[in-house]
Structures are given as C-alpha cells and as structure tokens.
Amino acid sequence: MTDQPLPHMTPEQFRRHGHAVIDWIADYWAGIEKHPVLSQVKPGEVAARLPEHPPERGERDDGFATGLLADVDEIVLPGITHWQHPSFFAYFPAPTTGPSVLGDLLSSGLGVQGMLWATSPACTEVETRMMDWMVELLGLPDTYRSDSAGGGVIQDSASSAALVALVAALHRVSGGDVRTNGGAGRFTVYASTETHSSVEKAVAIAGVGTDQLRIVEVDDSLGMRPDRLAATIAADRAAGLTPALVVATIGTTSTTAVDPVRAIGEICRAEGIWLHIDAAYAGAAALCPELRHTHDGVELADSYCTDGHKWLLTNFDCDIFFTSDRSSLVAALSVLPEYLRNAASDSHAVIDYRDWHGPLGRRFRALKLWSVIRWYGAEGLRAHVRQGVGLAAHFADLVRADDRFEIVADHVFSLVCFRLRGADGRNEELLRRLNASGQLYLTHTRVRGAYTLRMAIGAVPTELRHVEAAWQAIQRVADEL
C-alpha cells in the first residue's frame, strides 16, 4: 500500500475543465453550419489519427481540457456526421438541446444507479411522475398512469420496448409457461411489411423464431390491413399455434404511415392478443390536438412507446414506454437474488424499475426529460412539432410544383417521401451527389419497390431558409442529371 493520493480529478479541477468543455459545446452549436453535414472521412481514417498505444502517464495538468478539445477538433470532428446540423434531413431527428444536456449532466454528476427504489428513491419517483406527465401531455389513456394497473418507464430505445412488450405478451398468453418451461417457438407475432426491423430482432432474441413472425400486407396508404391480420391469425390458430403479439405502428420508419389502430385493437381484444404500438417517431404528434386523430384507438393497446430522443427535444437515450398491464410485465422480467432484497421492495409499496426492462442497471434519465419539459412547457413542445409539420408541408408544395418530381406517400407529420419520376438509377445518383456535397444529408427507402428519397425535418435549428436551400440544391443536381 502507498499513502500517495490517487490521481482523481478534484472538484475544482472538474469545475475548471468543465467550463472549457461547456464553452466548446456552445461554440460547436453556434458554428455548426460551417461543417459538412455528412462526414467526409474514409474507413479507418479516424483510428489512424489516434495513438496506437495508451499513455502510461496521464495528462493531469491545467492543460488537460485544452489538449483534449484540440484533439476533438482535429481527430473527432472530421469523423462526425452532424445530426444537429440544420440541414440534417436523414433518418429521423435526434435532438440535442441545452436543457436536455444539462439534465443529462446532472444525472452523470449524481452517478445514480437506479435499479431499485431503495438505491435512490428520487430516481424512481421523478421518473414515475414524468411518465404520468407524458400521459397527460400526449392525451394517452389513464390506464397508462402509475396509479392504475399499468404505468410508464423510460427504456433506452423503441427496440428495447418491442422486446419488453413481446416478453410480457408471451408471459401472459402462456400463463408463465414460457419463462419456466421454454417453448416460445409455438407462439406467433404479427407485424406489417412496413414495421420496424426491431420486431424481427425481438422475436429472434426472445426465442420465438423469425419463422413465427407473420408479415401482414398493407393497403394503399401503407397501413396494415386488418382483414389480412384476422385471416392470418385464424390460419395460425387452425394450425395449433398461439398468437401472442401484434405490433401496430403510428408513423412507420420508411414513410411515417399510420396503421388503423382501432380496427387492429378490436381484433386483438377479441382474440386475447397483446397489442403493442410503436410510435417511436410520431408519438410526439399527439402533443397537438389537431394531430391526435393519428392515435385513434390507442386505448385498446396493452403497451405503447414513443422516443423522446426523436421529436421531443431530449437527447438519446429516452424511449417513453407505457403498459396497461404492469403485472404481466413485472412477472415476466422480475428476478430477485438475495443481494437485491430490501425492506422497501418487500413492502410492495414502491416501484422497482429493474423489473420493467432487460438491464438491471439504469441511469437517472428522467432528469433530462424533466429539464426539457420545464424549459419548453407544453406550448413549446407543441410549437416544435407544429414547426416541423409546417416546414414539411411547405417542402411538399415545392416538390409538387416541379413536374420532374413526385411525392410517393402521404405526409401527415414532418417527413416527405419524394423522387424523380423515372428510373431508380437517377434517384440513386441524385442522392449520392447531394450527400457528397456536404450541403445537406438525406436518406432513402423503397416505396412499393421504387427508390425514394426521404426528407425528414426536425433538427432543432432548422428554419425555412434551410428547407428552401435544400430544395434549391435538389433542383440544381437534378438539372445536371
């Protein structure tokens, strides 16, 4: 043993270096438009700029932050695709806002391990209250409130939410038999051709098997066909299989199509099948009364999720998950070794969120959601959603005014799917040149087999001028093809 102090960063050192890091982030946000949206590096280029071996001695001096941030500028920034750039129109938004970052910083500083109520009561109770706030903000059914038979929890992503919903559904439909005796392969799961790939991964992880995943046809609006769902369920029952879960989507990843939730929910209620709603992107639309029609029938769902880190101004990770049947969820996921036993848990008077998802450990993620809601309020959150919807409508009008282009799917939210009329190859080249320019970043999908560009609006700093500049760039490249 040595009596030499360990080289930890002192609170005063943290204060000094922390100020430098906060200043760097603020400067990055202020000057983000000077960067190409899509990273221009080649594979291996970032790694090649890093030392091959770790340092033996640490850089424990006043220049630590200066040196670190210089390397971030030189090594990291060239390899960053700037998701916060106002001309980032790819995938879906991934907002990072000041209030969210500050809430996340508080969480990191507290260093809470919130697996049990007893390990930090505030971690649990703030999260529970935030989930109840979200029920109110989104106009969701009271069966998702914590004072009902259901409740809410923050998952890391909608992919985890789908897996958790599936595990709970299997537990309920089997009476616990899947957990004790296996045999998940005799159950079936249903999704549409437009459902997110996370459902396929969930059935593989849960042991159901991808051969037991039924892909249901969609209608002209790209929503799941209830008649085909009912027929597929009937065929599986006739074959001796047990339907366990249906996944309906509000705002599909490809085109933001909306499944007919009410019709699907009525089938699930009649058949005793767990209905999970994936509203990862479009759930935030329910903040606005004029968009709540997209959530018609949501009260029929056994579980529901939306990502705070897509359209709700909260940085990753923050999936907001609800269930109306917490007993099945907890029974499916609870494992209680002796070292986790405590008086509060034994009293059954508290929530232990470790029983609501796969991992045991959990961060104090509710702090960043609380921070965001406090800063923006309901009206601010609604204004952000409405701005995205309005900008998307404006972009769609621009596309329609150019006969060379066509819009290929409905755009209820803030995504517009469009393409050049004609061959796929021209659209592929259009996208390649646009993204290579560094001026903007789009991604693509296929709609009814046709190669299609996606214009996803929702980055925090995006304004009308950015959308119009993007359209001008699209037209300019189209002129060259």
Side-chain angles (χ1 to χ4, degrees), residues 6 40 45 73 120 185 194 228 273 282 290 308 357 365 387 394 415:
L6 293 173
Q40 307 294 302
E45 192 173 328
D73 284 331
S120 275
E194 301 296 304
R228 296 307 305 153
I273 303 172
E290 70 272 19
H357 50 53
R365 287 178 291 206
Q387 180 187 47
H394 178 70
L415 172 74

Side-chain angles (χ1 to χ4, degrees), residues 87 89 395-396 398-399 402 404-406 416-420 426-427 429-431 433-435 437 439-443 453-457 466-481:
S87 296
F89 303 115
F395 179 80
L398 295 174
V399 175
D402 189 328
R404 296 174 297 173
F405 291 86
E406 61 180 334
V416 179
C417 293
F418 70 103
R419 67 191 305 275
L420 276 168
R426 295 181 71 221
N427 286 282
E429 182 62 13
L430 173 62
L431 183 65
R433 293 191 190 185
L434 288 169
N435 289 343
S437 74
Q439 296 177 342
L440 72 167
Y441 182 28
L442 304 177
T443 47
L453 280 64
R454 299 169 72 261
M455 178 77 171
I457 299 171
H466 301 109
V467 173
E468 292 188 336
W471 176 239
Q472 291 166 9
I474 292 166
Q475 288 185 305
R476 187 164 56 250
V477 174
D479 289 340
E480 300 168 357
L481 296 176

Side-chain angles (χ1 to χ4, degrees), residues 40-114:
Q40 307 294 302
V41 302
K42 296 179 175 60
E45 192 173 328
V46 174
R49 295 177 179 175
L50 292 166
E52 186 174 352
H53 304 289
E56 179 62 28
R57 293 185 58 82
E59 302 172 14
R60 299 184 296 274
D61 54 42
D62 288 346
F64 169 76
T66 302
L68 173 64
L69 295 175
D71 280 349
V72 169
D73 284 331
E74 183 178 343
I75 299 171
V76 175
L77 274 185
I80 292 292
T81 289
H82 300 279
W83 286 68
Q84 310 312 313
H85 197 290
S87 296
F88 183 96
F89 303 115
Y91 305 107
F92 281 128
T96 290
T97 61
S100 181
V101 171
L102 293 177
D104 224 4
L105 182 60
L106 284 171
S107 175
S108 296
L110 289 169
V112 164
Q113 168 49 276

Side-chain angles (χ1 to χ4, degrees), residues 322-388:
F322 297 103
T323 181
S324 60
D325 181 8
R326 81 165 73 174
S327 63
S328 292
L329 180 71
V330 171
L333 294 171
S334 180
V335 177
L336 184 59
E338 186 62 33
Y339 50 78
L340 292 180
R341 291 187 178 277
N342 63 88
S345 296
D346 290 344
S347 74
H348 302 291
V350 300
I351 293 175
D352 287 330
Y353 277 130
R354 69 180 184 87
D355 297 329
W356 292 55
H357 50 53
L360 171 62
R362 57 195 330 273
R363 298 176 62 241
F364 198 167
R365 287 178 291 206
L367 274 175
K368 61 186 174 185
L369 184 60
W370 188 22
S371 181
V372 166
I373 296 172
R374 288 171 66 107
W375 177 269
Y376 288 97
E379 63 177 6
L381 295 174
R382 286 193 293 265
H384 178 66
V385 170
R386 285 171 175 151
Q387 180 187 47

Side-chain angles (χ1 to χ4, degrees), residues 151-162:
V153 64
I154 299 178
Q155 308 276 358
D156 57 6
S157 65
S159 297
S160 291

